Amino acid sequence: MGRFTLPRDIYHGKGSLEELKNLKGKKAILVVGGGSMKRQGFLDKAVNYLKEAGMEVELFEGVEPDPSVETVRRGAEAMRKFEPDWIVAMGGGSPIDAAKAMWAFYEYPETTFEDLITPFNFPELRTKAKFAAIPSTSGTATEVTAFSVITDYEKGIKYPLADFNITPDVAIVDSELVEGLPAHQVAYTGMDALTHAIEAYVSTLNCVYTDPLAIKAIEMVFDYLPASFKGNMDARAQMHDAQCLAGMAFSNALLGIVHSMAHKTGAAFSTGHITHGLANAMYLPYVIKYNAKDPVAAKRYAEIARMTGLEGASEKALINSLCKKIDEFNVILGIPATLKEFGIKEDEFKEKIAVISENAVGDACTGSNPRAIDPATMEKLFTCIYYGKEVDF
């Protein structure tokens, strides 16, 4: 038996933020990030719409990129004091992901973070509040997914939390919120969306419900990401929808080791944080070549290439065309081809990669990858990515 879960309502298109005024409740806590929503006027708009809905509104501001366990705990405490019946999260993936985890601790104060790390182990939510999510970037699709990524900075590890309970009740996908995105953010989030769709299509849990969403998302990213990166607002609106389709696919089909690797390297090196979408973009072509040694995965990668109009007379040629397309996008978007080029120090890489590889194999996303992997093989794959070597194993 399969399961396919989405938010009950998805409002999309320019101006759809206004739907906040139709929510029914008494109190709403609005969780936001570093200030871009305030500077652009969207925070005031959201507050006013919620007040128009007859709700008392409290803000929880300042959720950092890659939100920490500590931020989640502070937010949950604020919720326990205010007692909202709506949690509204607006911004990039970080405030929405953080608010999802806050939600669990608000409703179940005795729950520990360790309890939530186990996939699909959340307690039953909606005993106190419902959840609305409003993305301001075009990549994570957390507004429609059963996932949240929280970082334990003491351990230097990102933990993907997974449970259908944290799929939002309402998603508002308003393209007006992404018109002011800086180009580098358009690049990284766009490649994150592409990775979501490709990994969902080849996941061991793909199905007839997720496949059309994944393929359509890949087509749209190929068609619109370069123009969105260059500032075309029509293309940017298309990308906002594309990332949401990719989210619908991967929330139900799950992901693979591109994400496992990105989760475990993001906060691991002293030379600086590797932004999630950038890491995905770097790792994706190498992982495709690794996974394509599995005949079922190879067939599906070739299908992606064929259905998106890429050329190739054989399965292998089609897969090469897909990898070449991703490499070309990375060049256009200014994304490095290797971890060495990114700036990770060689001695630190060698010192840490064994533990990182072990952690990546243990990541929640590894289980649905189409080809099995062990820590030693993962280390070999990371080494290829560090030096830009061909994946031939």
Side-chain angles (χ1 to χ4, degrees), residues 81-347:
K81 287 177 181 174
F82 182 59
E83 298 184 334
D85 49 10
W86 273 101
I87 298 165
V88 180
M90 181 167 71
S94 297
I96 300 174
D97 279 7
K100 286 178 174 180
M102 292 171 191
W103 188 14
F105 290 116
Y106 165 46
E107 298 205 0
Y108 296 90
E110 71 284 358
T111 296
T112 68
F113 189 70
E114 286 68 31
D115 291 335
L116 303 183
I117 291 170
T118 305
F120 301 96
N121 192 47
F122 273 63
E124 196 68 32
L125 296 180
R126 296 167 180 80
T127 62
K128 296 178 182 176
K130 290 183 178 178
F131 194 100
I134 308 157
S136 67
T137 62
S138 301
T140 69
T142 188
E143 73 277 4
V144 293
T145 75
F147 299 98
S148 163
V149 180
I150 305 299
T151 302
D152 185 328
Y153 284 95
E154 283 184 16
K155 295 178 181 175
I157 293 176
K158 289 186 179 185
Y159 290 106
L161 310 180
D163 197 284
F164 287 116
N165 265 293
I166 57 172
T167 305
D169 298 281
V170 173
I172 296 175
V173 188
D174 186 340
S175 60
E176 199 171 356
L177 274 68
V178 298
E179 289 181 356
L181 279 178
H184 72 274
Q185 228 175 332
V186 172
Y188 302 159
T189 56
M191 292 304 288
D192 191 21
L194 180 64
T195 306
H196 289 155
I198 290 176
E199 290 212 292
Y201 194 79
V202 301
S203 159
T204 56
L205 296 173
N206 73 77
C207 70
V208 294
Y209 291 85
T210 59
D211 283 354
L213 293 164
I215 286 294
K216 184 62 179 175
I218 295 165
E219 286 177 349
M220 291 176 74
V221 173
F222 283 170
D223 287 344
Y224 296 111
L225 181 53
S228 175
F229 177 67
K230 291 171 185 172
N232 181 301
M233 291 305 150
D234 290 335
R236 201 159 287 190
Q238 295 280 357
M239 278 300 302
H240 208 40
D241 288 332
Q243 65 87 33
C244 189
L245 296 178
M248 294 180 203
F250 91 77
S251 185
N252 292 280
L254 306 188
L255 293 163
I257 60 171
V258 178
H259 273 76
S260 303
M261 297 162 82
H263 290 151
K264 297 308 185 268
T265 50
F269 296 105
S270 64
T271 41
H273 179 257
I274 308 175
T275 304
H276 179 70
L278 184 151
N280 281 341
M282 248 195 306
Y283 303 163
L284 181 58
Y286 295 93
V287 170
I288 289 173
K289 288 169 186 171
Y290 172 78
N291 283 341
K293 299 291 192 295
D294 174 87
V296 176
K299 179 175 177 287
R300 291 187 71 81
Y301 285 128
E303 284 172 4
I304 291 171
R306 193 179 298 111
M307 286 190 274
T308 55
L310 301 179
E311 293 183 358
S314 65
E315 196 173 78
K316 186 177 181 181
L318 285 163
I319 294 166
N320 286 339
S321 289
L322 178 60
C323 292
K324 185 181 176 189
K325 181 80 169 179
I326 296 162
D327 289 338
E328 287 169 355
F329 265 49
N330 284 344
V331 170
I332 292 167
L333 301 172
I335 291 168
T338 67
L339 281 165
K340 189 172 186 177
E341 188 184 328
F342 176 81
I344 304 301
K345 292 175 183 172
E346 190 171 17
D347 56 350

